Amino acid sequence: MLRSSIDLGTNTCLLLIADCDPASGEVLRTVEDHATVVRLGQGVDRAKELHPDAIERTISCLRRYAEAARAQGLDPSSTLAVATSQARDARNGAEFFKRVERETGFRFRTLSGDDEAKYTFLGGLLPGMKPESCAVIDIGGGSTEIMASSGGKSVDLGSVRFTERFLRSDPVTDAEFWACRAAVDEGLKEFVAVRARMPKEIQLVGVAGTATTLAQWFLESREFQRERIDEVVLAPGDLHRLVEELKWRTVEERTRLPGVTEGRADVLLAGALILWRATEVLGFRDCRVSTRGLRYGVLQMR
């Protein structure tokens, strides 16, 4: 059965069209998978409101996605469309989503942090992975989720949020970097109780743009090769090295790195810092990267 889903986050908007098991919603075959940097969370951490430019970028993207759904014979109103951190934080979020429905047909549901973590966990596991042996981390623009079969949590610790809050120079200063690292470590303390319920040797699985971008750069691949990225394992030492390389580069210099796009370059340091510190502070031996995520998990919603 052909179904579609949208994951609208703080930085990116993702569309998945897939053949699914009619009973479980599990993805059997990916038909189309689109990712667009819309930066809907631009300035939300400070202003608590969606910026007019961000609204226009996002609606333009969603119009294209509606056309893609219709081209596959799907009604946009049947798409499982979910929004995450920026929608929870913005005062004008409800007004924005009413306009989205009028102009595109997509009807969005705003996920709680707990639901975001739950469906990210379901969607992030790769074929053959055992749920009880894995924990999924999703570093978004506004929040980070860590989830395992024993439970999970969402914390306002995101790549866009922390870039806007701390990393304002180009390249960043040492003072900015250390302030950001200290804030990341402090935020990660909220996951300590969640981590304590997991087996010590559990496999951390990283999903979403930060993890997949770092993996593509790690592979030194100019092309996004899903099968190769899904095989990447990043040790804490690998992540530390990537963080140090990002730290001294300007945003423009980062865009020359394999896999680092213009819309990701400015926030990648904060995202990489969160992933590296999560492995260190929470005691994960490494991080396996997955190109799947929330958009796969929500297709299993009932």
Side-chain angles (χ1 to χ4, degrees), residues 97-152:
F97 287 114
K98 287 179 182 176
R99 181 180 167 192
V100 167
E101 184 174 354
R102 284 198 311 270
E103 297 189 20
T104 70
F106 293 126
R107 298 173 182 170
F108 273 85
R109 169 180 171 180
T110 301
L111 293 182
S112 67
D114 288 345
D115 279 347
E116 184 176 352
K118 173 184 175 181
Y119 291 112
T120 296
F121 175 69
L122 289 173
L125 299 180
L126 293 165
M129 285 184 170
K130 297 179 179 179
E132 64 274 14
S133 301
C134 299
V136 172
I137 182 168
D138 180 352
I139 299 167
S143 63
T144 291
E145 289 72 46
I146 298 180
M147 183 73 183
S149 56
S150 57

Side-chain angles (χ1 to χ4, degrees), residues 3-80:
R3 302 183 74 187
S4 57
S5 65
I6 290 176
D7 168 10
L8 176 56
T10 302
N11 197 44
T12 55
C13 185
L14 310 173
L15 168 68
L16 173 66
I17 300 175
D19 276 324
C20 301
D21 183 292
S24 67
E26 182 181 355
V27 172
L28 304 175
R29 181 177 66 93
T30 299
V31 177
E32 294 187 38
D33 196 4
H34 302 274
T36 306
V37 174
V38 295
R39 194 64 60 86
L40 183 58
Q42 175 187 343
V44 170
D45 185 54
R46 176 183 52 81
K48 304 302 180 188
E49 198 166 77
L50 298 176
H51 192 281
D53 293 345
I55 288 173
E56 295 307 321
R57 286 194 302 268
T58 304
I59 288 180
S60 175
C61 169
L62 290 170
R63 288 195 189 106
R64 296 195 303 273
Y65 284 0
E67 291 174 4
R70 292 189 186 100
Q72 292 287 349
L74 296 169
D75 185 338
S77 66
S78 68
T79 296
L80 284 163

Side-chain angles (χ1 to χ4, degrees), residues 52-287:
D53 293 345
I55 288 173
E56 295 307 321
R57 286 194 302 268
T58 304
I59 288 180
S60 175
C61 169
L62 290 170
R63 288 195 189 106
R64 296 195 303 273
Y65 284 0
E67 291 174 4
R70 292 189 186 100
Q72 292 287 349
L74 296 169
D75 185 338
S77 66
S78 68
T79 296
L80 284 163
V82 298
T84 54
S85 179
Q86 83 298 320
R88 293 194 294 270
D89 294 343
R91 285 189 293 261
N92 57 343
E95 178 184 343
F96 165 72
F97 287 114
K98 287 179 182 176
R99 181 180 167 192
V100 167
E101 184 174 354
R102 284 198 311 270
E103 297 189 20
T104 70
F106 293 126
R107 298 173 182 170
F108 273 85
R109 169 180 171 180
T110 301
L111 293 182
S112 67
D114 288 345
D115 279 347
E116 184 176 352
K118 173 184 175 181
Y119 291 112
T120 296
F121 175 69
L122 289 173
L125 299 180
L126 293 165
M129 285 184 170
K130 297 179 179 179
E132 64 274 14
S133 301
C134 299
V136 172
I137 182 168
D138 180 352
I139 299 167
S143 63
T144 291
E145 289 72 46
I146 298 180
M147 183 73 183
S149 56
S150 57
K153 189 175 180 66
S154 178
V155 175
D156 286 341
L157 192 69
S159 61
V160 174
R161 190 186 298 273
F162 271 45
T163 298
E164 292 181 349
R165 194 176 289 183
F166 297 103
L167 307 177
R168 298 174 180 170
S169 300
D170 186 23
V172 301
T173 66
D174 286 343
E176 289 172 334
F177 176 83
W178 286 107
C180 187
R181 174 174 163 169
V184 166
D185 284 3
E186 185 64 28
L188 287 169
K189 290 179 181 179
E190 296 193 44
F191 290 113
V192 169
V194 172
R195 176 66 175 105
R197 296 195 295 269
M198 301 175 190
K200 183 179 179 181
E201 294 302 313
I202 199 167
Q203 175 67 67
L204 184 66
V205 180
V207 302
T210 289
T212 58
T213 299
L214 292 175
Q216 187 173 344
W217 176 22
F218 182 77
L219 291 169
E220 299 185 349
S221 174
R222 293 287 173 184
E223 296 182 8
F224 187 88
Q225 298 172 291
R226 185 181 306 277
E227 295 78 11
R228 292 188 68 201
I229 289 172
D230 283 338
E231 295 175 349
V232 169
V233 178
L234 298 170
D238 298 322
L239 292 166
H240 188 189
R241 176 179 62 80
L242 296 176
V243 165
E244 289 297 322
E245 287 200 41
L246 290 168
K247 178 185 171 184
W248 60 262
R249 296 177 189 269
T250 65
V251 171
E252 194 278 331
E253 287 170 341
R254 294 176 197 170
T255 63
R256 302 176 200 166
L257 300 170
V260 182
T261 61
E262 185 176 346
R264 180 74 57 186
D266 58 335
V267 299
L268 186 59
L269 173 57
L273 187 55
I274 294 168
L275 186 56
W276 168 47
R277 298 309 298 159
T279 62
E280 296 278 12
V281 173
L282 301 174
F284 294 105
R285 67 180 183 274
D286 54 37
C287 179

